[in-house]
Amino acid sequence: GNSVTQMEGPVTLSEEAFLTINCTYTATGYPSLFWYVQYPGEGLQLLLKATKADDKGSNKGFEATYRKETTSFHLEKGSVQVSDSAVYFCALTTSTGNTPLVFGKGTRLSVIA
Amino acid sequence: GAVVSQHPSRVICKSGTSVKIECRSLDFQATTMFWYRQFPKKSLMLMATSNEGSKATYEQGVEKDKFLINHASLTLSTLTVTSAHPEDSSFYICSARATAGVNEQFFGPGTRLTVL
């Protein structure tokens, strides 16, 4: 079956540090890959996505590249800010029908000034 | 962009009462809606998938008589927590997928339920 594995948190970084959150997946077929962000007390927001191999999704300084050969979709940001403190979820789907997103367990990021 | 709303955002109720949570897709038609539950500092747990005009499909371990889901139109799904108890306290999040051809899910802001 489909599954997503992402690095365990929490991750604590100083402001302006480089961020990497690892995400690997197992899927049948050709999945679309997503990163969602959840700020404290809020729902999930789509951060970025990639729908095919070698695609790079980017938004708000965050980037992730769909690597089919390593089945990975690692999230990176060159310089984090305190406002980036949130929980980040990697997810995939292989269908446009009734199949819901499959989520990783989430990685909590805390950025300190 | 596609917007999904939830109402209420927070609700506090007494044990034994029922609570209804609404999920609306504001600017698109959603043939499929998903309901998730999230415990503190945990990931999202899929509760059920609902399609407009048909019965919801519940995940294993989720009581369908406890968590009633109705998807009466292409823009509205409701989750009713019946005879709520303190262990039902949680953050409930709905998600909607537009009609065929789009594989992205759009999430509501969530509803925090506290049962006293």
Side-chain angles (χ1 to χ4, degrees):
Chain A
N2 298 335
S3 67
V4 175
T5 303
Q6 61 182 105
M7 61 187 289
E8 298 259 346
V11 174
T12 302
L13 295 174
S14 297
E15 209 166 20
E16 299 184 1
F18 185 86
L19 168 71
T20 299
I21 300 178
N22 289 339
C23 171
T24 57
Y25 66 90
T26 302
T28 54
Y30 301 96
S32 294
L33 303 174
F34 306 83
W35 276 100
Y36 284 85
V37 57
Q38 185 179 32
Y39 297 103
E42 300 183 10
L44 270 68
Q45 300 176 29
L46 177 65
L47 181 59
L48 53 85
K49 66 179 181 180
T51 58
K52 61 183 187 298
D54 299 325
D55 270 2
K56 177 187 283 187
S58 61
N59 185 26
K60 299 181 181 179
F62 291 90
E63 292 184 342
T65 301
Y66 189 144
R67 301 286 188 199
K68 186 178 177 183
E69 63 276 14
T70 54
T71 62
S72 65
F73 193 54
H74 305 321
L75 182 68
E76 297 182 334
K77 187 174 185 181
S79 176
V80 294
Q81 304 300 313
V82 172
S83 56
D84 293 327
S85 298
V87 180
Y88 293 82
F89 293 94
C90 186
L92 70 81
T93 186
T94 57
S95 170
T96 58
N98 290 348
T99 308
L101 285 166
V102 175
F103 284 94
K105 293 187 175 181
T107 302
R108 182 174 300 276
L109 170 66
S110 295
V111 180
I112 54 177
Chain B
V3 179
V4 176
S5 70
Q6 275 184 246
H7 178 79
S9 57
R10 292 178 179 271
V11 57
I12 301 173
C13 68
K14 293 182 179 180
S15 186
T17 61
S18 294
V19 175
K20 179 184 284 188
I21 302 170
E22 291 187 349
C23 176
R24 293 181 185 273
S25 56
L26 298 185
D27 50 2
F28 67 100
Q29 292 186 326
T31 52
T32 304
M33 286 187 172
F34 307 94
W35 286 95
Y36 294 85
R37 182 174 181 178
Q38 186 180 33
F39 292 99
K41 299 185 178 181
K42 298 291 184 183
S43 189
L44 281 72
M45 181 190 79
L46 180 67
M47 299 175 66
T49 301
S50 74
N51 293 296
E52 184 263 339
S54 62
K55 291 184 179 180
T57 302
Y58 289 82
E59 295 300 300
Q60 192 172 10
V62 178
E63 299 177 59
K64 62 180 180 180
D65 295 331
K66 172 76 171 176
F67 299 99
L68 300 177
I69 292 172
N70 182 278
H71 193 162
S73 77
L74 285 172
T75 59
L76 174 64
S77 177
T78 60
L79 167 67
T80 301
V81 183
T82 61
S83 187
H85 291 283
E87 58 266 29
D88 299 323
S89 298
S90 193
F91 195 52
Y92 292 89
I93 302 175
C94 75
S95 175
R97 174 175 279 157
T99 50
V102 177
N103 60 9
E104 184 175 337
Q105 285 180 225
F106 303 98
F107 286 82
T111 297
R112 183 160 303 282
L113 170 63
T114 303
V115 185
L116 304 177

